[in-house]
Amino acid sequence: MADTAASTPKTAASAPTPFMAQYLSIKNRHPDALLFFRMGDFYELFFDDAVEAAGILDITLTSRGEHDGKPIPMAGVPYHAAEGYLARLIRAGCRVAVCEQTESPAEAKKRGSKAIVNRDIVRIVTPGTLTEEALLPARQGQALAAVALGAGGTEAAIAVCDVSTGRFDVSSADPAGLADALLAWPLSELLVADAESGKQAIVAATSVSPAPVTYRPARAATHKSGESLLKEAYGIAATDALGNFSRTELSAIGLLLDYVKLTQAGSEIRLDPPRRPDPSGHLAIDPATRASLEIDRAMNGGREGSLLATVDRTVTAPGARLLAARLARPSLDAAEIAARLDAAGWFASEPTALDDVRACLRKAPDLERARSRLNLGRGGPRDLLAIAEALNAASEAAAILARSVALPAQLETAAAQLDLSRHPPLEELASDMLRAISGSPPMLARDGGFVAPGWDVELDEVRALRDDSRRIIAEMQARYAGETGIPALKVKFNNVLGYFVDVPAKHGETLMTAPWSEAFIHRQTLAGNVRFSTRELADLAGRISRAEEEAKGRELAIFADFATRVSGASDALSASADAVASLDVAAATAIWAAEADAVRPRIEAEPVFEADALRHPVVEAALRKEGQGFTANALRLDAAGETAPRLLLVTGPNMAGKSTYLRQAALAVILAQAGLFVPARSIRIGLADRVFSRVGASDDLARGRSTFMVEMVETAAILTQATPRSFVILDEVGRGTSTWDGLAIAWAAVEHLHGTNACRALFATHYHELTALADDLAGAANASLRAREWKNDLVFLHEVQPGPADRSYGVQVAKLAGLPRKAVARAAQILKRLESDPSSAESLPLFAAVPSVQEENAAPGFSEAALSLVEILDSVDPDALTPREALDLVYRLKDGLREKD
């Protein structure tokens, strides 16, 4: 985050100019933000703000005047293109205070000829408070989150809002699970009270936050602050009207609302009433698991290649955001999951209705964010039209659903909300806005021209006067040109003279002499032109000016009236946006299920996992693009150990598919509990309370952790937090240390998972000694990935079979990876000796004869002479040989055979 507090300019020894005094006064109020200082058609930045912004935006750094005897650095961006520059600054981690002119230069002059235009902060733009369409990814949510700890650190709370949609959520959390709860949201900015910044739970949460962290004064994070701001924001006398909040939750609310109020520069806080999470809770997914399974972000940080990108078939922005939320926070409520699956299943069985509903939804703009922008006073005519078009399109979709006699509960509820005939105020609002707003309105109301002809009689009259005046000016120009005999005479306009008569310099003298001098009043002489005014033209100019101002004023009044009506219908519009999203996700689930041949999962209360022909959705999609197929596999687990093992030890060669096998099982749990179909022939899943994944390896150099240390920390979290209802996948635990240490750790982890955690678990390993545990642990079993050797090559079959693997094929995989032949041969030699006598490891010679290339490549029955001939032939390009060279080659081969004999 940009930090310019230390570089705020000091007051000069001599008094600064009034302009600079104004700038310094405003800048000192927000020293940690870049100040966009409006000057005419530009936002200017000064001092260190200019230097920093110029470097980020790659714009020219110049100077303006002096301060304290030194030139003042200055950089600027055009106000009409400011959003693009703001987006780049926000991506760079900056906060930007936007300072606008609050009066016109003409109004300032009324206070004196030397008066400067008044300015003030109208908004502070931060990563978590964006609302502009150009600054936000339409299909991605944004979350501004605040965290607070209770007295003694035994309780934590999270307050989360999305300023762009108005959503506001509050929940309590276990301090140890604070990071897990935070990363379930699409974090854009995290707020922490500076007094709590060093506490262990806060440090753990901020260390894994993908979003910038903003530290705020402790006074904002108190329960009294939360109570006060809730009452102020919602106009209530007691917070009981919104819910029963703990002191810690109120502290988090206070921290959040105080910041929202700050960034809105004193404007009203416009968020929906705070909502509690589903009382049954969400499937807990820790940060390591979230990253390992690539739920919403691939390993490279992008969306492509993630589970979300693979299954997303939504056609609306609210639907895309809801799908992402469901995958990030899968449900623990079996009834809610069943309702989602019912809705998707209905669409899957009604392909005609599915296509028709999606065709309607495609026409629906982002109702949710348009409503929020208008509520915040940042909206424009396009947002009015977006709301009207979205309501209309959604109502058409509801009409399609209404033709069915038996709809699932979720679809019936959504259709009832979206049917405008059931909501006369919304129907009237949508109808009025469709008739009132022109087809291609400007983004800003101040630009005018967005009210359609025929909507407002008064506006039409003013426009007629304005347009008629323009015709009169054209006629006046023609008349003046004809009367004076000057064909080049023009009537023009500028901001200094207003309307004026312009003639070439050679005709200027004509108009300045009688009889024309009585009608034409000389105003200005230029090198090539002379300018005049007339009383008739001045009178008409006044009429035109008044008509323009009246037309713009009337349009602004019409816009304000519609914005007020939208605000009054805010709750109903929010419910409609939710219904659109719900419909879209259900339909998209059906589309993806058909494309991926996915089936509806059976959700059970017992902690079981039974899948036939289960597949990894992301890997399968990638292979399909390359024209390849995916090998499906079955899996049976039962935490009770009655119908299947609770723990499966998975062995097999590297690259055989062990990690894919593990991950696809965990992803199946997430998909099912998110209410989505699962790529399998059939699947039955018992609700899980947590999913853990320790797959892959990486270090954490910033925190001084080696790869092995990171692995142990993640494994420790699993062994201490997994319950009998959890689902765990672990891959190659213990590989980052010595063989015997690693084996001991892996052995103990298996025993702990089986006996203490007693949860469904998949444990992949290359320690074949562990496979013996399947005989000693009642709830454990072995499985392996098949591979075959064929003509000295290793072929992966990707099929899972019962029982342990016979060997790891590590040397063969190393060969496939491109290790030098000499190294591969040496490895094979050492492996053969170790397999025959494990105790020989200590007596292995450091340097031993390594088989030659000929020996390495030799096959049974090949003589040394034959190998020599092969080497000669390998070095020859037959197509490049001349007849003479070919004959010489034959003699060389014959001579070589004689020498060997």
Side-chain angles (χ1 to χ4, degrees):
M1 180 173 295
D3 185 4
T4 57
S7 57
T8 300
K10 300 177 181 179
T11 304
S14 59
T17 63
F19 167 80
M20 190 49 62
Q22 181 190 57
Y23 170 85
L24 294 174
S25 173
I26 295 172
K27 174 63 182 175
N28 286 335
R29 285 158 45 193
H30 298 283
D32 59 343
L34 300 179
L35 182 59
F36 263 33
F37 197 73
R38 181 68 178 273
M39 295 176 63
D41 290 342
F42 281 80
Y43 286 114
E44 303 289 1
L45 300 100
F46 299 97
F47 297 100
D48 285 357
D49 284 5
V51 175
E52 183 173 0
I56 295 171
L57 302 175
D58 193 25
I59 57 178
T60 301
L61 181 66
T62 182
S63 63
R64 172 187 172 123
E66 292 188 349
H67 180 76
D68 209 9
K70 297 178 181 178
I72 301 172
M74 182 179 80
V77 300
Y79 89 95
H80 58 81
E83 285 189 352
Y85 292 105
L86 276 174
R88 291 167 63 184
L89 291 171
I90 294 301
R91 284 196 294 269
C94 301
R95 300 168 73 238
V96 181
V98 180
C99 178
E100 294 285 359
Q101 296 174 178
T102 57
E103 63 178 354
S104 67
E107 290 171 325
K109 285 183 179 179
K110 295 176 182 177
R111 295 185 280 107
S113 60
K114 295 186 178 181
I116 61 172
V117 175
N118 282 329
R119 295 177 175 85
D120 204 355
I121 300 293
V122 297
R123 182 185 169 202
I124 300 173
V125 185
T126 76
T129 58
L130 302 175
T131 57
E132 287 79 2
E133 196 172 2
L135 303 183
L136 283 171
R139 303 177 66 81
Q140 180 181 322
Q142 77 163 358
L144 172 66
V147 295
L149 296 178
T154 58
E155 180 188 359
I158 303 172
V160 183
C161 74
D162 184 341
V163 178
S164 72
T165 63
R167 178 168 179 144
F168 183 11
D169 293 87
V170 179
S171 62
S172 58
D174 178 4
L178 195 57
D180 300 5
L182 278 174
L183 263 66
W185 298 93
L187 278 188
S188 297
E189 188 173 3
L190 178 61
L191 306 177
V192 172
D194 50 18
E196 295 183 337
S197 60
K199 295 182 178 178
Q200 184 176 352
I202 299 296
V203 171
T206 56
S207 66
V208 297
S209 170
V213 180
T214 300
Y215 295 95
R216 300 289 298 149
R219 58 170 174 73
T222 66
H223 71 279
K224 290 183 178 180
S225 170
E227 284 182 3
S228 174
L229 287 169
L230 279 176
K231 293 175 182 178
E232 177 186 329
Y234 299 101
I236 55 178
T239 58
D240 295 348
L242 298 173
N244 183 24
F245 301 107
S246 69
R247 291 168 70 96
T248 308
E249 287 172 334
L250 286 171
S251 296
I253 290 171
L255 184 58
L256 180 77
L257 295 185
D258 174 76
Y259 190 70
V260 171
K261 185 177 181 180
L262 171 72
T263 58
Q264 306 314 307
S267 298
E268 290 183 20
I269 296 171
R270 301 303 296 267
L271 296 174
D272 296 335
R275 296 193 285 191
R276 289 283 194 179
D278 184 341
S280 59
H282 300 294
L283 176 69
I285 307 173
D286 64 27
T289 299
R290 199 172 291 278
S292 167
L293 296 180
E294 301 177 283
I295 297 172
D296 56 4
R297 285 285 179 273
M299 288 297 183
N300 62 11
R303 188 176 186 271
E304 193 64 29
S306 67
L307 176 64
L308 174 60
T310 300
V311 306
D312 187 0
R313 298 295 183 274
T314 55
V315 294
T316 71
R321 296 193 293 268
L322 178 61
L323 176 63
R326 287 183 178 179
L327 282 174
R329 301 187 296 281
S331 180
L332 292 179
D333 185 344
E336 170 63 21
I337 296 170
R340 295 175 185 177
L341 293 171
D342 287 345
W346 185 89
F347 273 124
S349 65
E350 299 285 345
T352 301
L354 171 63
D355 292 342
D356 291 346
V357 166
R358 281 169 62 85
C360 293
L361 293 180
R362 279 191 181 92
K363 299 184 292 184
D366 196 339
L367 167 61
E368 198 170 29
R369 284 183 171 169
R371 172 194 75 111
S372 186
R373 278 192 293 270
L374 288 165
N375 284 343
L376 289 167
R378 299 177 195 164
R382 289 184 189 175
D383 293 310
L384 296 178
L385 187 60
I387 290 174
E389 290 179 343
L391 290 174
N392 234 30
S395 188
E396 291 175 10
I400 294 168
L401 295 176
R403 299 171 194 160
S404 175
V405 293
L407 284 174
Q410 280 198 355
L411 297 186
E412 187 174 6
T413 301
Q417 175 60 41
L418 297 176
D419 183 357
L420 288 179
S421 65
R422 299 191 186 190
H423 305 278
L426 281 185
E427 184 176 32
E428 182 181 6
L429 176 63
S431 175
D432 286 350
M433 290 194 296
L434 282 173
R435 288 188 297 115
I437 308 301
S438 62
S440 299
M443 183 178 294
L444 303 175
R446 70 187 181 205
D447 293 335
F450 58 86
V451 177
W455 171 253
D456 184 80
V457 174
E458 181 181 338
L459 177 60
D460 288 344
E461 290 175 352
V462 175
R463 282 175 171 173
L465 173 62
R466 179 196 63 192
D467 297 340
D468 192 50
S469 298
R470 290 173 179 170
R471 179 182 57 78
I472 293 173
I473 285 178
E475 292 176 352
M476 184 183 295
Q477 175 178 296
R479 177 162 52 86
Y480 284 167
E483 291 175 351
T484 61
I486 305 174
L489 182 147
K490 303 292 183 185
V491 175
K492 297 183 178 181
F493 176 87
N494 67 28
N495 289 326
V496 177
L497 298 180
Y499 286 97
F500 57 88
V501 174
D502 183 271
V503 298
K506 64 181 180 179
H507 297 296
E509 189 63 31
T510 301
L511 297 185
M512 286 190 282
T513 59
W516 303 115
S517 58
E518 295 180 8
F520 293 89
I521 304 166
H522 178 251
R523 298 295 303 276
Q524 191 177 35
T525 298
L526 302 176
N529 302 73
V530 183
R531 293 170 175 176
F532 301 85
S533 64
T534 69
R535 291 182 180 86
E536 181 185 22
L537 189 57
D539 179 63
L540 183 59
R543 289 163 53 200
I544 294 174
S545 177
R546 288 190 295 273
E548 290 278 9
E549 290 177 3
E550 288 177 21
K552 186 173 289 188
R554 186 61 194 149
E555 284 199 274
L556 289 174
I558 292 170
F559 174 80
D561 178 62
F562 276 125
T564 300
R565 291 175 65 182
V566 167
S567 179
S570 188
D571 290 344
L573 291 172
S574 178
S576 295
D578 289 345
V580 167
S582 178
L583 269 189
D584 191 16
V585 171
T589 300
I591 289 289
W592 178 73
E595 291 178 6
D597 194 22
V599 298
R600 174 174 178 156
R602 287 174 52 195
I603 305 299
E604 307 286 358
E606 298 79 21
V608 297
F609 189 106
E610 297 178 2
D612 288 318
L614 182 64
R615 309 186 305 279
H616 191 300
V618 181
V619 175
E620 183 181 32
L623 289 173
R624 190 183 298 121
K625 289 180 181 178
E626 298 174 359
Q628 301 180 42
F630 184 92
T631 303
N633 283 293
L635 175 61
R636 299 281 190 281
L637 293 173
D638 180 0
E642 296 174 355
T643 61
R646 73 166 59 113
L647 186 146
L648 192 64
L649 290 160
V650 183
T651 51
N654 285 301
M655 295 177 60
K658 296 191 301 299
S659 295
T660 299
Y661 184 61
L662 266 61
R663 284 189 171 105
Q664 70 189 29
L667 290 178
V669 174
I670 291 170
L671 286 169
Q673 294 190 211
L676 304 177
F677 283 28
V678 179
R681 184 183 304 122
S682 66
I683 186 162
R684 176 172 169 257
I685 296 179
L687 282 176
D689 61 353
R690 301 190 68 127
V691 168
F692 290 100
S693 169
R694 213 237 66 77
V695 179
S698 63
D699 55 27
D700 187 353
L701 298 180
R703 298 169 69 186
R705 291 178 175 178
S706 65
T707 300
F708 179 68
M709 185 61 178
V710 170
E711 176 187 309
M712 289 298 98
V713 169
E714 293 174 0
T715 304
I718 295 171
L719 298 183
T720 56
Q721 297 177 36
T723 73
R725 301 203 64 82
S726 299
F727 194 93
V728 174
I729 62 172
L730 284 158
D731 187 17
E732 299 188 39
V733 170
R735 62 181 167 182
T737 185
S738 70
T739 301
W740 300 119
D741 281 356
L743 174 60
I745 292 169
W747 193 297
V750 169
E751 290 182 339
H752 197 283
L753 276 173
H754 178 273
T756 304
N757 302 110
C759 60
R760 292 162 289 178
L762 292 168
F763 195 104
T765 184
H766 284 288
Y767 293 125
H768 284 267
E769 294 85 349
L770 292 182
T771 60
L773 285 171
D775 298 327
D776 300 329
L777 304 177
N782 283 309
S784 56
L785 275 294
R786 294 181 62 202
R788 284 183 178 176
E789 286 186 278
W790 177 254
K791 294 183 177 179
N792 289 329
D793 284 329
L794 187 62
V795 179
F796 301 112
L797 303 179
H798 304 297
E799 295 175 1
V800 176
Q801 61 184 359
D806 56 349
R807 52 191 295 201
S808 284
Y809 299 97
V811 174
Q812 288 87 338
V813 173
K815 180 181 177 183
L816 287 175
L819 255 67
R821 291 181 179 181
K822 189 174 182 179
V824 171
R826 175 62 169 157
Q829 183 186 48
I830 295 172
L831 176 63
K832 186 175 181 180
R833 180 169 179 178
L834 289 174
E835 286 178 337
S836 62
D837 181 12
S839 63
S840 66
E842 295 181 3
S843 61
L844 279 173
L846 289 178
F847 305 100
V850 179
S852 66
V853 174
Q854 290 97 328
E855 291 172 338
E856 180 188 346
N857 290 331
F862 273 57
S863 67
E864 185 178 350
L867 286 172
S868 177
L869 295 180
V870 167
E871 282 190 343
I872 294 173
L873 289 172
D874 281 344
S875 66
V876 172
D877 180 2
D879 295 330
L881 292 176
T882 65
R884 177 69 184 175
E885 289 171 337
L887 184 61
D888 289 344
L889 175 62
V890 171
Y891 283 116
R892 282 178 58 203
L893 294 175
K894 289 183 66 176
D895 290 344
L897 283 173
R898 288 194 190 98
E899 291 176 6
K900 295 297 180 182
D901 292 340

